[in-house]
Amino acid sequence: MNADKASAYWKEFHEKLDDIGIAKGDIVYVGSDVTAIVVNAMRELEFTSKQDQTDFLNALVDALKEHVTEEGTLLFPVYTWDICRGKAFDYHKTQGEVGSFNNFILNNRKDFVRTKHPIYSFMVWGKDAEMLHDMNNQEAWGKASPFYYMH
């Protein structure tokens, strides 16, 4: 990956986050298909390996963390409806059904923790990560849920 181009890329990324109003201390729900971002970055940053893609995804997560800082909170949905199909929910291993980027975080980022709801779980990081992780939300949308917290 071209280091000079990568530096300029991440500077522009932070500027775009500023442009849309994301700031230090914010609570950010990241529900996004990053395919177009990755394809564009592959061209711009001259990826030469699969490892470059992995490094880019890690850098994307790190850039979001840097932008909101530890005073903020990031939430990535890892929803799965396996339990509705009679399959067991394994808090550490059950893959989400709402995006490969979110599963990348589940499988690769030890700095995030997963909330415990068997359908509507999130990978969370930041100021409120422990509180969200410790919720015993029996109801997906109730007062003890990440959705209520975001509301």
Side-chain angles (χ1 to χ4, degrees):
M1 188 176 334
N2 183 307
D4 291 334
K5 288 183 179 181
S7 177
Y9 184 93
W10 294 116
K11 182 177 186 277
E12 182 180 356
F13 183 76
H14 281 285
E15 289 169 358
K16 291 195 182 300
L17 292 175
D18 286 336
D19 289 348
I20 62 173
I22 296 176
K24 176 180 177 180
D26 280 353
I27 298 165
V28 180
Y29 172 101
V30 185
S32 177
D33 179 353
V34 298
T35 305
I37 294 171
V38 173
V39 169
N40 185 47
M42 287 174 70
R43 279 191 304 258
E44 286 187 34
L45 304 178
E46 303 169 9
F47 288 2
T48 58
S49 68
K50 185 75 171 164
Q51 185 61 49
D52 283 344
Q53 290 179 17
T54 298
D55 292 346
F56 176 80
L57 291 174
N58 277 313
L60 182 58
V61 175
D62 290 341
L64 290 165
K65 287 174 54 177
E66 289 168 15
H67 207 80
V68 300
T69 74
E70 289 186 2
E71 294 175 32
T73 303
L74 296 173
L75 298 99
F76 291 82
V78 192
Y79 308 158
T80 177
W81 293 269
D82 275 355
I83 199 162
C84 301
R85 297 180 201 109
K87 296 180 183 176
F89 174 72
D90 183 322
Y91 166 82
H92 297 288
K93 295 179 184 173
T94 299
Q95 299 296 294
E97 298 176 46
V98 292
S100 59
F101 185 46
N102 306 346
N103 283 331
F104 172 82
I105 294 167
L106 170 68
N107 297 323
N108 296 285
R109 299 294 300 228
K110 303 305 176 206
D111 48 342
F112 281 73
V113 292
R114 189 176 193 172
T115 62
K116 296 178 181 122
H117 195 275
I119 298 173
Y120 297 109
S121 64
F122 295 85
M123 295 303 295
V124 294
W125 174 89
K127 180 180 118 188
D128 294 331
E130 281 304 311
M131 182 267 299
L132 290 161
H133 172 264
D134 292 342
M135 283 182 171
N136 186 21
N137 58 310
Q138 300 297 311
E139 299 175 18
W141 309 97
K143 286 189 177 187
S145 75
F147 290 108
Y148 190 85
Y149 159 84
M150 287 184 282
H151 176 70

